[in-house]
Amino acid sequence: MPYDRSVSADPHELAAESVWHIDVPEIRFGSHAVDELAFQLRDLGVDADARGLVVTDDDLVAAGHADRVGSHLADAGFAVDVYDDSEREPSVEAIEACAAFVRDETDDGYDFYVGLGGGSCMDTAKATRAVVANGGSPLDYVAEPTGSGEPLTASGPPLVLVPTTAGTGSEISPVAILSVPAEEIKEGISSYHLRADAAVLDPTLTTTLSPELTARTAMDALGHAIEGYTTHAYDSLLRATDPGTRPVYAGRTPLTELFSRRAIGLLSGHVRRAVHNGDDLEARENMLLGALFGAISGLTAGASLCHAMAYPVSNRYHTRHGETIAVLTPASTIGYNAASDPGRFAEVAELFGVETTGMADHEAAEALRDEYVQLQRDLNVLPSGLAELAGVTADDVDWLAARTVDSQERLLRCNPRPVTEDDVREIYLDALYNWEA
Ligand SMILES: [Fe+2]
């Protein structure tokens, strides 16, 4: 959705935004919530004998989760097909392949869709439903200049997302992230029509996650929570001349701040337990709740600089999203952005459990960075910086900085502190080594 912080359709109407709203899917949460998936679908108006598609991947099939969901839906009377070819960090071609599967199997699409898995499976389900419902191909809906920038005009039949990781927040967000291999970039399709109708979050689906995946997705979730808490405020934007044209990343609000604060405490307080003892269901439940709250906050207020810098890295070096966020957060979200509002970062330090009594705000923000890095070290499974993550060297940062500024304007304009290409270069350099490995 085109939006510019500094330009209004009518200069006489220039004024600060004074209204916020929140739009999240219906949410069902808790142990064995997935056993209520059929109820949830019927509640969304899906007919008792409807035919649906579960979009997942072969890891989820191997873990038995796809079977569990498929049998549950079949027992409830639905006809269910399973598409288990979702790829990690899906490309435009991967979405085309899933949409082609739908068009081969049905006349005009399924009656409902379920996305089961991590962010990649859920994004595949979201983008596929959108492409089938609106026609054409994924690139038609990717922003210019990579795509045609056409708006989605239809949501399609009901879509329920069932995350099996505690982190990406795709079950809440109005965005699907796609890679465009020909251009070596990651792009988002961004639209209210992309958002799922419901999210079913069941911590019993997350106990099979490896320590590595648990740590990576947790760092992504923590990134959403902190970025959401420290991004620009909704009333620092220009007022939308039409309520329908408000951007999907609309700035922090009193409500998103509440969710951020709780998310930061839940995630930083339970991630060590969840990583070191995957069967700790209480820790898993708190992580899933923290990730949900982080997403409600960060993915409606808006992710910012760190996410903008992560996409060129993961595209060029094929690194995973969560670990990329993990290595970039100390230098970007905390190190660079703390100057935008040191008092707010001091609050984040307190939420992390840092003893800040007697510290000036900027000292508390520095202590937050130290604590965040210590947390990563304690998890034992995360890289110490961009160098260890992907062999990035000082020679690579010019390319990364140029690519960030060229391709990530959607996220950079949400950053609470103005940022230039030189700044981005310095932040990448700062992120090469967060500690000595
Ligand atoms: Fe993220």
Side-chain angles (χ1 to χ4, degrees):
M1 193 169 294
Y3 189 82
D4 194 310
R5 290 177 75 172
S6 59
V7 178
S8 166
D10 180 348
H12 299 292
E13 293 180 9
L14 284 178
E17 183 58 274
S18 60
V19 176
W20 59 265
H21 91 291
I22 188 147
D23 183 1
V24 294
E26 192 175 336
I27 295 166
R28 195 171 291 270
F29 183 98
S31 285
H32 309 295
V34 74
D35 297 335
E36 299 183 11
L37 180 57
F39 176 89
Q40 178 67 74
L41 285 164
R42 284 194 294 267
D43 198 48
L44 290 168
V46 175
D47 289 340
D49 59 350
R51 184 177 179 209
L53 181 68
V54 176
V55 178
T56 188
D57 66 23
D58 44 14
D59 286 343
L60 275 302
V61 171
H65 297 320
D67 250 9
R68 180 177 169 190
V69 167
S71 319
H72 162 74
L73 293 176
D75 289 349
F78 297 119
V80 180
D81 291 337
V82 175
Y83 181 83
D84 63 4
D85 263 347
S86 298
E87 69 178 36
R88 179 165 69 81
E89 318 248 334
S91 62
V92 169
E93 289 77 13
I95 304 305
E96 280 172 347
C98 190
F101 176 91
V102 175
R103 288 168 177 148
D104 285 348
E105 294 292 322
T106 65
D107 291 335
D108 54 357
Y110 286 92
D111 301 322
F112 67 89
Y113 294 84
V114 173
L116 170 72
S120 300
C121 293
M122 292 190 281
D123 281 2
T124 302
K126 285 156 78 173
T128 298
R129 175 183 71 151
V131 168
V132 172
N134 290 269
S137 74
L139 273 179
D140 295 340
Y141 307 106
V142 168
E144 292 178 302
T146 308
S148 309
E150 290 175 29
L152 293 173
T153 54
S155 298
L159 166 65
V160 180
L161 296 177
V162 184
T164 59
T165 64
T168 68
S170 176
E171 69 274 16
I172 295 300
S173 86
V175 176
I177 305 296
L178 310 180
S179 66
V180 186
E183 314 229 1
E184 282 201 327
I185 53 170
K186 280 200 161 40
E187 280 283 0
I189 301 181
S190 204
S191 166
Y192 287 113
H193 287 296
L194 210 56
R195 205 190 300 269
D197 300 283
V200 174
L201 296 98
D202 185 338
T204 66
L205 294 176
T206 67
T207 55
T208 51
L209 279 181
S210 67
E212 290 80 4
L213 203 48
T214 303
R216 281 185 213 128
T217 48
M219 291 297 116
D220 188 24
L222 206 42
H224 299 154
I226 303 175
E227 287 176 55
Y229 194 60
T230 56
T231 191
H232 59 83
Y234 75 99
D235 56 2
S236 72
L237 298 178
L238 291 176
R239 185 164 65 205
T241 48
D242 169 346
T245 64
R246 271 196 192 99
V248 293
Y249 283 170
R252 65 182 152 83
T253 72
L255 187 138
T256 66
E257 290 185 5
L258 270 181
F259 280 99
S260 284
R261 293 179 65 88
R262 191 76 200 288
I264 293 167
L266 283 166
L267 294 165
S268 64
H270 292 90
V271 64
R272 289 177 177 85
R273 276 170 58 187
V275 168
H276 295 308
N277 178 11
D279 290 328
D280 183 337
L281 192 58
E282 184 185 84
R284 292 292 193 183
E285 180 157 348
N286 282 304
M287 292 303 292
L288 195 60
L289 195 60
L292 171 68
F293 286 4
I296 290 174
S297 154
L299 301 183
T300 57
S304 53
L305 176 62
C306 181
H307 272 72
M309 291 177 62
Y311 292 126
V313 173
S314 53
N315 228 50
R316 177 162 183 181
Y317 301 99
H318 306 289
T319 57
R320 290 168 167 84
H321 178 66
E323 60 187 354
T324 316
I325 295 295
V327 301
L328 289 170
T329 292
S332 58
T333 306
I334 304 175
Y336 182 80
N337 278 352
S340 68
D341 188 348
R344 187 161 280 274
F345 282 84
E347 288 177 41
V348 176
E350 283 173 33
L351 295 167
F352 252 77
V354 175
E355 178 50 64
T356 59
T357 310
M359 286 185 185
D361 287 343
H362 74 275
E363 292 170 334
E366 283 167 26
L368 168 65
R369 178 170 177 165
D370 292 343
E371 176 61 27
Y372 181 92
V373 169
Q374 187 59 49
L375 174 67
Q376 291 200 47
R377 299 187 71 163
D378 290 349
L379 299 183
N380 272 334
V381 288
L382 291 170
S384 57
L386 284 172
E388 187 184 344
L389 172 70
V392 181
T393 71
D395 292 339
D396 301 317
V397 303
D398 284 354
W399 185 91
L400 287 170
R403 186 47 66 104
T404 301
V405 170
D406 282 351
S407 66
Q408 298 298 324
E409 195 259 345
R410 175 178 76 92
L411 293 175
L412 288 177
R413 72 182 174 208
C414 297
N415 200 53
R417 184 179 173 193
V419 57
T420 66
E421 190 170 327
D422 275 347
D423 297 327
V424 174
R425 190 178 298 118
E426 289 302 313
I427 299 164
Y428 276 125
L429 283 173
D430 190 8
L432 291 178
Y433 304 97
N434 291 322
W435 68 85
E436 275 188 39

